[in-house]
Amino acid sequence: MEDTTYSIPRIGDLAPDFEAMTTIGKLRFSDYIKGKWTILFSHPADFTPVCTTELSGFAEEKAFFEERNTNLIGLSIDSIHSHIAWVNNVREKTGVRFHFPIIADIDMKVAKLYGMLQPGESETAAVRAVFFIDPAGKIRLIMYYPLNVGRNMEEIKRVLTALQTADEYKVALPLNWTKGEKVIVPPPKTMNELEERLASNLEMVDFYLAKKELS
Ligand code: BEZ
């Protein structure tokens, strides 16, 4: 019997490396992601309605991702011929050009490596996964959506901004945080830090929940 218990990478893991055929040619993932933020996302199938809206959404946010030093790369368990035909069809019908590479994972190698193949949902199509990978190659946030529910581009943009803000300012981001709102200052870890916190003019509910504006 085939083993369908595929491993799922976890937050904090280094992104598993692979070589794959894509719509821009063969690439090694570790080369593609070097020194940049990367969003690796899978879709169940080419020429399907929800997937068309989702990949169009990524394409329409090209400038947003470029401004944030972020590469995009898609994946599905379809052939390179299917990808090319679909990309061309969407461009002809809607004018939207999928500028990012799409992996043709016909042998499901990458889908299995990234836990995108979830047999309880489908044995032949990848679920809607999104991996946020930092410039050091570490997985920082993972989303999995089922086949019948499209993702939320505002949330994808929000969490990328949140991850980058957390790194830059060494802060944490509260519920529903969006850019421009107050951020959470990490709680004190020593008694000295506690004293400093209590003497500070941070907006505080108590010493462990303090917020500040980012200047
Ligand atoms: C879609 O993208 O529309 C879709 C793909 C696979 C299963 C269900 C919906």
Side-chain angles (χ1 to χ4, degrees), residues 31-46:
D31 293 336
Y32 185 72
I33 69 177
K34 202 169 273 172
K36 290 199 151 221
W37 283 83
T38 302
I39 301 180
L40 166 66
F41 52 95
S42 56
H43 66 275
D46 298 345

Side-chain angles (χ1 to χ4, degrees), residues 120-131:
E121 180 71 352
S122 170
E123 290 182 358
T124 54
V127 297
R128 302 179 194 278
V130 194
F131 286 85

Side-chain angles (χ1 to χ4, degrees), residues 44 48-51 128 147:
T48 54
V50 178
C51 300
R128 302 179 194 278
L147 267 52

Side-chain angles (χ1 to χ4, degrees), residues 6 47 53 68 84 98 116 118 123 130 137 148 171 173-174:
Y6 309 122
F47 292 101
T53 63
R68 285 156 186 81
I84 289 169
F98 299 168
M116 296 163 171
Q118 305 197 1
E123 290 182 358
V130 194
N148 57 358
V171 294
L173 295 318

Side-chain angles (χ1 to χ4, degrees), residues 85-119:
W86 183 43
V87 171
N88 198 46
N89 178 263
V90 174
R91 186 181 54 179
E92 280 179 1
K93 299 290 178 197
T94 71
V96 176
R97 193 175 73 82
F98 299 168
H99 60 283
F100 43 80
I102 306 174
I103 297 166
D105 194 32
I106 199 77
D107 59 3
M108 308 187 189
K109 188 180 73 183
V110 184
K112 289 177 183 174
L113 194 61
Y114 276 80
M116 296 163 171
L117 195 63
Q118 305 197 1

